[in-house]
Amino acid sequence: MKSLSIHWICLLFLSVCLLLWYNHVMRTGLARKTGLHGYVRVHPKTRSSLYLLDVRCGRCAVVSSSGQMLGGGRGHEIDQQDCVIRMNAAPTVGYGADVGNRTSLRVVSHTSVPHLLRQQGYFFGREAGTRYVVWGPEKNMRQDGKGKIFNALVMLAKKYPHTHIYTVTREKVQYCDSVFQNETGKNRMKSGAFLSTGFFTMILALELCDSVLVYGMIDGSYCSLSNHSFVPYHYYEPSRLDECRMYRVHEHAKRGGHRFITEKLIYSRWASQGKLRFVYPTWSP
């Protein structure tokens, strides 16, 4: 009887320990690793990778920052979609009729983070419900205190604790590189190219959305047409660079260029699979 009592006491003790451990796991978030792998939240109180981008959308609108958006009057249509994905620091105020007013997610390049810092009231006040997904090279995103951009994101997360800021992990960036190489047959780094924010955005949209409607993105052959029109590179910078000129310069740059035209040819192939559709300007794969 004595040995049986000891046996039950040991079982009870073990059960209590398991319950305490489970409670600790739930409290610290170790059980919260649900969502899209490769997108990790910058938490204001910890640098550990506990929180993933836990979003799922039905139909998404991906809104380009291109001047192609001007005059289209697609704002209301864009706002009707389940999720609206924008890029970098493209504003909506003053452009709502053409680009819409809602923003569910922003995919942000490390080079655009200073724009967020300068306009904190807009991005983390007016757009407080937006999720920010920031990508960049390892030297800027490292988490050992030497990553300049990551440190800035930690500061923002502490100042605006209710804001959801995520980083694209090193492994995810490498995956995007491999997608580029598989599609083009060229090593991204050896070819001197940098992936554009648009490339990261399209991959993310295809992962989290059931269907994707793209606004403001021209096809890969548009700039080769003799009658193509002058369109500003950004809709919010009407007097700046011509879009096609910018595309050509980057496409042929030996180092550090975005392969905008090549990327659009890749999107065309993805669109042939049926999940991705270019609705304005309208074009088919």
Side-chain angles (χ1 to χ4, degrees), residues 246-280:
M246 187 75 159
Y247 283 7
R248 290 194 194 96
V249 169
H250 274 268
E251 190 72 18
H252 300 292
K254 291 184 178 181
R255 301 295 303 173
H258 295 310
R259 305 305 189 227
F260 292 117
I261 296 173
T262 296
E263 288 180 1
K264 285 170 176 56
L265 294 172
I266 294 172
Y267 305 155
S268 180
R269 287 199 290 275
W270 292 350
S272 66
Q273 300 170 12
K275 188 175 179 179
L276 184 64
R277 192 153 56 93
F278 298 88
V279 294
Y280 181 80

Side-chain angles (χ1 to χ4, degrees), residues 7-20:
H7 174 74
W8 282 109
I9 291 171
C10 290
L11 283 177
L12 179 62
F13 178 75
L14 180 62
S15 298
V16 171
C17 289
L18 286 172
L19 284 171
L20 290 172

Side-chain angles (χ1 to χ4, degrees), residues 86-159:
R86 304 186 192 277
M87 300 176 216
N88 294 321
T92 58
V93 175
Y95 302 95
D98 290 330
V99 306
N101 297 291
R102 290 180 54 232
T103 307
S104 309
L105 291 97
R106 278 188 184 273
V107 181
V108 181
S109 164
H110 60 110
T111 59
S112 288
V113 170
H115 294 290
L116 303 186
L117 294 171
R118 286 195 293 267
Q119 303 176 64
Q120 295 179 35
Y122 176 84
F123 290 110
F124 306 108
R126 181 185 175 91
E127 291 194 356
T130 298
R131 285 173 166 81
Y132 294 85
V133 178
V134 184
W135 69 274
E138 177 69 15
K139 66 177 182 179
N140 288 338
M141 306 302 289
R142 55 193 296 177
Q143 301 182 25
D144 59 358
K146 297 180 181 179
K148 182 179 179 181
I149 296 302
F150 184 82
N151 292 343
L153 298 178
V154 171
M155 181 273 290
L156 287 171
K158 289 180 178 178
K159 187 174 181 179

Side-chain angles (χ1 to χ4, degrees), residues 16-17 21 39 48 53-54 78 124 157 171 180-181 196 206 216-217 229 254 256 285:
V16 171
C17 289
W21 175 81
Y39 308 96
S48 57
L53 180 61
D54 195 5
I78 289 169
F124 306 108
E171 292 74 23
F180 181 85
Q181 182 163 335
S196 73
L206 289 169
M217 196 174 287
S229 57
K254 291 184 178 181

Side-chain angles (χ1 to χ4, degrees), residues 63 69-76 78 94-100 215 235 280:
V63 185
M69 294 302 304
L70 296 173
R74 296 300 183 106
H76 178 72
I78 289 169
Y95 302 95
D98 290 330
V99 306
Y215 293 83
Y235 66 77
Y280 181 80

Side-chain angles (χ1 to χ4, degrees), residues 31-106:
R32 299 185 188 182
K33 276 204 168 189
T34 59
L36 289 176
H37 287 271
Y39 308 96
V40 179
R41 187 178 176 190
V42 180
H43 199 271
K45 294 183 179 180
T46 177
R47 296 193 176 206
S48 57
S49 305
L50 301 179
Y51 299 83
L52 302 179
L53 180 61
D54 195 5
V55 180
R56 189 69 203 174
C57 302
R59 189 162 61 180
C60 294
V62 169
V63 185
S64 168
S65 303
S66 166
Q68 301 284 346
M69 294 302 304
L70 296 173
R74 296 300 183 106
H76 178 72
E77 178 183 323
I78 289 169
D79 284 340
Q80 296 305 303
Q81 309 312 318
D82 298 321
C83 293
V84 180
I85 305 173
R86 304 186 192 277
M87 300 176 216
N88 294 321
T92 58
V93 175
Y95 302 95
D98 290 330
V99 306
N101 297 291
R102 290 180 54 232
T103 307
S104 309
L105 291 97
R106 278 188 184 273

